[in-house]
Amino acid sequence: NEEEKIFTTKEFDLLTFLASHPNRVFTKEELFSKIWDMESLGDIATVTVHIKKIREKIEADTSKPQYIKDKDILVCEKPSGMPVSSDKTGDMDLMHQLKNQIYFEEGLNEEPEFYLVHRLDRPVGGVMVFARNKDAAADLSRQIREHCFEKDYQAVLTGWIPQSEGTWRDFLWKDPSANRSKVVKEGTKGAKEAILDYEVIDMMESDKMKFTYCLIHLRTGRHHQIRVQTSSRGFGIWGD
């Protein structure tokens, strides 16, 4: 059964414009000018509001993450913006949301077992695997240690990466007080090696900026690894 979606005039204009320009990146100023043929006049935030409302109407309900499961594991799509586990914000996190859904879906009398074996940063959306018992958690953790468990990401970076593929190797040091990591010299106390492979999928350009759309494979899983390694080379994650 298809549900009817109702859009305002501006939402419809924006949606049809973006749909007719696939694989293109536009700034908010450009959208204001190209769609409505007018200067932003300081109202650029209006575009963000329209995009937010469009996403709320056409995307799946992020308050109920989609998943598949068996007796040992659960695989779900983590919505971007949702923390994996509880944090100081007090916002609903993925672990508790999934526990609530499974509790009612399976008609349980007690809190379901869930074990976290890997993480995604709060701003990142993507596939996650949870263990549903201790044996599964141990097996998944072993697979991660032995690099049988692969982590691949897609990212849009600012700037054009000159090589079509490559490997970046750095040493990262985490500052726990600021919850930040940075590239440091090899041998720095507390630093850990960070390695990723990348492959350029496409290159795009707007009137004001160049972008690289790439696939990133993590060989290690360090704190904020992708954003730190890319930004240290002058290629920030777009929108980060």
Side-chain angles (χ1 to χ4, degrees):
N1 295 328
E2 294 186 1
E3 181 182 350
E4 181 178 349
K5 306 292 183 180
I6 299 176
F7 300 96
T8 65
T9 301
K10 278 188 166 52
E11 290 170 359
F12 184 78
D13 290 343
L14 181 58
L15 183 60
T16 53
F17 177 80
L18 294 174
S20 62
H21 295 81
N23 302 318
R24 288 285 306 277
V25 177
F26 299 95
T27 64
K28 296 172 186 176
E29 294 90 341
E30 289 172 334
L31 291 174
F32 222 103
S33 173
K34 293 178 182 296
I35 298 174
W36 298 297
D37 193 26
M38 58 187 294
E39 296 295 328
S40 63
L41 300 176
D43 293 328
I44 299 172
T46 304
V47 174
T48 303
V49 173
H50 290 320
I51 291 176
K52 181 177 184 294
K53 290 184 178 298
I54 290 172
R55 293 186 65 177
E56 288 173 349
K57 292 177 180 179
I58 65 176
E59 292 184 349
D61 183 2
T62 56
S63 67
K64 293 184 178 180
Q66 302 298 304
Y67 60 82
I68 56 175
K69 61 182 174 64
D70 61 19
K71 64 181 179 63
D72 295 312
I73 66 171
L74 180 145
V75 180
C76 77
E77 181 180 0
K78 174 193 169 303
S80 60
M82 177 181 279
V84 173
S85 55
S86 57
D87 61 16
K88 60 184 179 182
T89 67
D91 295 339
M92 174 58 75
D93 60 87
L94 184 59
M95 284 274 286
H96 282 91
Q97 179 60 49
L98 290 171
K99 285 183 178 182
N100 289 338
Q101 289 179 235
I102 296 299
Y103 177 85
F104 289 106
E105 178 184 309
E106 297 185 353
L108 303 178
N109 296 318
E110 57 185 8
E111 181 179 326
E113 278 189 279
F114 266 89
Y115 296 90
L116 184 64
V117 295
H118 70 113
R119 290 182 176 272
L120 284 178
D121 291 340
R122 179 168 183 159
V124 179
V127 176
M128 291 195 66
V129 182
F130 292 90
R132 299 195 64 188
N133 54 64
K134 291 182 178 179
D135 289 340
D139 191 42
L140 287 171
S141 297
R142 176 190 58 77
Q143 291 180 49
I144 292 173
R145 288 195 306 272
E146 296 176 358
H147 303 289
C148 303
F149 190 105
E150 296 190 355
K151 300 178 182 179
D152 294 305
Y153 299 79
Q154 296 178 58
V156 177
L157 307 179
T158 55
W160 283 356
I161 299 178
Q163 291 80 29
S164 60
E165 60 182 29
T167 299
W168 290 340
R169 177 178 178 269
D170 297 293
F171 285 85
L172 306 188
W173 177 78
K174 179 182 177 181
D175 179 358
S177 62
N179 194 35
R180 292 187 177 184
S181 295
K182 63 180 180 180
V183 174
V184 295
K185 293 182 179 179
E186 183 176 356
T188 299
K189 184 178 179 180
K192 296 182 179 180
E193 186 177 32
I195 306 173
L196 65 77
D197 301 315
Y198 71 86
E199 177 184 348
V200 173
I201 299 173
D202 197 3
M203 293 176 133
M204 302 163 283
E205 186 173 10
S206 72
D207 293 345
K208 296 184 179 181
M209 193 176 294
K210 296 177 179 179
F211 304 90
T212 300
Y213 174 37
C214 59
L215 178 68
I216 295 174
H217 173 70
L218 289 185
R219 296 199 205 174
T220 55
R222 306 305 181 202
H223 180 255
H224 293 171
Q225 180 176 340
I226 295 176
R227 54 160 51 117
V228 174
Q229 288 196 270
T230 55
S231 62
S232 71
R233 291 168 170 80
F235 306 110
I237 297 176
W238 183 53
D240 188 18

